Amino acid sequence: MNCLLCNSIINDIPRWRDILTFNIPINMELCDFCLSRFQTIESRNICLRCMGNSNQSICGNCIMWEKTENILVNHKSIFKYNLQMKEYFRTYKFMGDVELSRLFDNELEKFKKQLDFDIATFVPNARSHYDYRGFDHVFEMYNRVFKLECMLEKNDIEDFQSRKSFKERVSTAQSFTVKQNQISENSKILLIDDIYTSGRTITHAQKALNKAGYKKILTFSLVRS
Ligand SMILES: [Zn+2]
Ligand SMILES: [Zn+2]
């Protein structure tokens, strides 16, 4: 088997430490070297709600979301947005290498056990992005592990997001609608995105779900920038 990132051969004999901890890998998409270049989030100096860097127990962003949108952020992530992660998303998302969607299956499978939810759903791409890329990069990344329900639709109104200032971005009207579905309002929903930055996208998706009656929501992204 070859590493999906650097193409070096992966030895598929289980490693001793994995055998000793009964932590035998489910898949072997990444070699040890490439895996070691991704950086997991440590539990020191982070916001208790969003896992972002913070000297306070609750960061300014999370306080703002509570004040302006009445959202109590409850977010989990695994990795930091470092250079290796940036390079991964460049190849996967922008160059459209769909094979790379399964790179983190093993890590996601392990982390899933820590999350308490009934139904998992995701922040969808806008239609225009889907048409351009040919796949929804968030859906492809998580569906194998989380069996995603398609509950949300993104309205195609806000391109050039990155050209806006932080203040403009957080105040932009939300752009999600909840689709007709059979899911009970009492379900614990896990709402998933690829990267959490200001929390704006996921907060607005969460608000749309709240409005449709879903109040028990935990959010998750592979990466916290
Ligand atoms: Zn590698
Ligand atoms: Zn926070």
Side-chain angles (χ1 to χ4, degrees):
M1 233 174 209
N2 294 63
C3 172
L4 278 179
L5 283 189
C6 71
N7 209 32
S8 68
I9 294 168
I10 301 173
N11 188 350
D12 59 3
I13 300 164
R15 290 162 286 198
W16 278 110
R17 68 177 156 86
D18 291 328
I19 294 172
L20 290 172
T21 56
F22 300 101
N23 186 21
I24 296 164
I26 299 159
N27 62 43
M28 308 270 269
E29 320 293 4
L30 270 170
C31 71
D32 277 357
F33 176 71
C34 287
L35 184 60
S36 74
R37 292 178 66 205
F38 292 102
Q39 202 181 353
T40 50
I41 299 171
E42 286 165 21
S43 53
R44 273 180 310 158
N45 297 332
I46 58 169
C47 168
L48 295 174
R49 289 189 188 170
C50 70
M51 295 184 84
N53 290 331
S54 175
N55 297 324
Q56 313 290 322
S57 57
I58 297 169
C59 76
N61 260 2
C62 286
I63 291 169
M64 178 194 68
W65 292 126
E66 187 176 358
K67 279 190 185 154
T68 60
E69 303 288 344
N70 198 23
I71 293 276
L72 280 184
V73 174
N74 184 8
H75 187 80
K76 300 278 180 261
S77 287
I78 306 175
F79 292 103
K80 287 185 179 175
Y81 191 64
N82 66 357
L83 267 179
Q84 172 81 339
M85 194 56 87
K86 196 174 173 185
E87 183 55 26
Y88 165 69
F89 274 101
R90 196 180 66 82
T91 320
Y92 171 50
K93 190 170 160 180
F94 297 106
M95 291 168 67
D97 186 350
V98 70
E99 271 292 284
L100 290 181
S101 66
R102 59 192 166 88
L103 200 67
F104 295 102
D105 280 8
N106 196 23
E107 279 63 39
L108 291 172
E109 197 72 59
K110 278 190 246 166
F111 200 78
K112 189 176 130 184
K113 299 190 180 94
Q114 301 176 27
L115 302 169
D116 179 23
F117 66 96
D118 303 317
I119 300 281
T121 190
F122 65 106
V123 175
N125 290 177
R127 187 78 222 175
S128 57
H129 291 200
Y130 181 88
D131 290 345
Y132 168 75
R133 209 172 281 134
F135 62 92
D136 186 305
H137 75 281
V138 179
F139 181 83
E140 292 297 333
M141 261 178 95
Y142 297 102
N143 188 45
R144 273 177 306 275
V145 173
F146 289 94
K147 308 275 178 290
L148 298 171
E149 291 283 343
C150 300
M151 295 177 76
L152 290 158
E153 210 157 0
K154 187 168 190 190
N155 310 324
D156 232 340
I157 50 163
E158 39 170 333
D159 264 347
F160 309 112
Q161 176 77 260
S162 51
R163 291 190 193 170
K164 292 179 182 167
S165 70
F166 182 79
K167 209 174 163 192
E168 282 172 323
R169 265 185 283 156
V170 295
S171 62
T172 306
Q174 67 135 310
S175 54
F176 295 96
T177 37
V178 177
K179 293 185 190 182
Q180 280 286 353
N181 66 68
Q182 306 291 316
I183 297 160
S184 153
E185 289 176 7
N186 287 322
S187 309
K188 289 180 219 160
I189 309 281
L190 179 70
L191 174 61
I192 305 179
D193 202 1
D194 55 352
I195 305 174
Y196 186 109
T197 306
S198 69
R200 177 191 168 277
T201 309
I202 218 161
T203 300
H204 283 154
Q206 184 171 352
K207 258 214 123 169
L209 286 167
N210 281 165
K211 235 174 137 184
Y214 301 100
K215 305 291 183 198
K216 298 173 198 164
I217 298 177
L218 170 66
T219 60
F220 170 69
S221 59
L222 181 77
V223 185
R224 179 70 177 85
S225 81

